[in-house]
Amino acid sequence: MLEVRSVSKHFGGAEVVSNVSLGVGQGAIAGLIGPNGAGKTTLFNLIAGSFAPSSGDILLEGAAITREAAHRRLKRGLGRTFQIPKPFAEMTLIENMLAAAQGQRGESLFANWLTPRRVAAEERANAEKAMAHLEFLGLARLAREPARVLSGGQRKLLELGRVLMADPRIILLDEPGAGVNPALLDTIIDRVIEINRRGITFLIIEHNMDLVARLCGHVFVLAAGCMLFEGTPSEVVRNPEVIDAYLGTGST
């Protein structure tokens, strides 16, 4: 599904990601861990198209996307969330969801004049789709409330819902457990598992090793911008280099 080949990223004289390679298979849930400053978010930004790599290649389902813009990658089925969700605070949840729908005819002035019935039908279909996702995520009762009323964990769920509106085939999930209470964390884990059962692939940045162990079949470990180790969660937590570079720092 996703292949990163010898990717590096320089900012001025600093090499933040150095010759990193990884592969995530179709239908997998893979984890990406490492201490703060390891380059995890930068690597996500490179994969998602927010940054262009200084060198190396990125492939999605065998197609090179190294130089494609982020919106082009989204159309190919690559969605991502952010560590700190930023919904449109004064818009309702349903409005936030509808804003993420792709290729809406109503965005065209001519379509609104020439095919108003098709535009209206599409808008109804998108609204039904958005409500179905909100129901699945446990947010339907808040659909008409402004997003500012949501807790941190609920914002994570809304962020996931907005990505689902784009019909992704792979989701880059950035720290879904950060700042989330245990009850909502269980909900997020359950929803990720259910979405994965639908055939959607995940690559997850996470510090919570319990969440990683519950979700991920394979884990990549970054340290100082380099790939330090990869293996199953049980192999990762037993590896001396990982313990020294990451787990031994006191992170969980």
Side-chain angles (χ1 to χ4, degrees), residues 53-103:
S54 302
S55 61
D57 295 295
I58 301 168
L59 290 84
L60 182 66
E61 296 184 298
I65 61 170
T66 312
R67 302 299 166 186
E68 283 193 348
H71 71 279
R72 297 281 185 189
R73 301 184 196 200
L74 181 59
K75 286 183 178 181
R76 286 185 182 269
L78 193 158
R80 66 90 52 96
T81 68
F82 294 86
Q83 179 182 354
I84 302 175
K86 294 183 179 179
F88 300 109
E90 298 306 318
M91 290 169 58
T92 65
L93 271 63
I94 191 75
E95 289 169 340
N96 269 273
M97 295 286 286
L98 290 172
Q102 299 296 298

Side-chain angles (χ1 to χ4, degrees), residues 129-227:
K129 178 180 176 180
M131 280 303 302
H133 285 318
L134 289 174
E135 184 72 39
F136 167 70
L137 295 167
L139 297 173
R141 63 184 177 81
L142 300 170
R144 305 298 174 184
E145 297 293 326
R148 59 179 164 76
V149 307
L150 299 180
S151 68
Q154 290 171 328
R155 291 185 179 211
K156 299 267 187 181
L157 287 166
L158 177 60
E159 180 96 336
L160 182 56
R162 293 198 297 183
V163 171
L164 290 174
M165 286 296 293
D167 298 320
R169 292 190 299 281
I170 179 170
I171 298 175
L172 308 180
L173 202 58
D174 196 345
E175 296 210 30
V180 178
N181 70 55
L184 271 178
L185 183 59
D186 284 340
T187 298
I188 291 172
I189 290 171
D190 289 343
R191 296 305 177 265
V192 169
I193 291 171
E194 180 57 36
I195 293 166
N196 177 250
R197 285 175 179 156
R198 301 174 184 175
I200 297 175
T201 305
F202 282 90
L203 178 60
I204 304 174
I205 290 178
E206 186 51 63
H207 283 284
N208 185 321
M209 284 303 299
D210 178 61
L211 183 151
V212 170
R214 290 171 65 182
L215 281 177
C216 302
H218 197 81
V219 181
F220 302 97
V221 185
L222 285 185
C226 300
M227 187 64 69

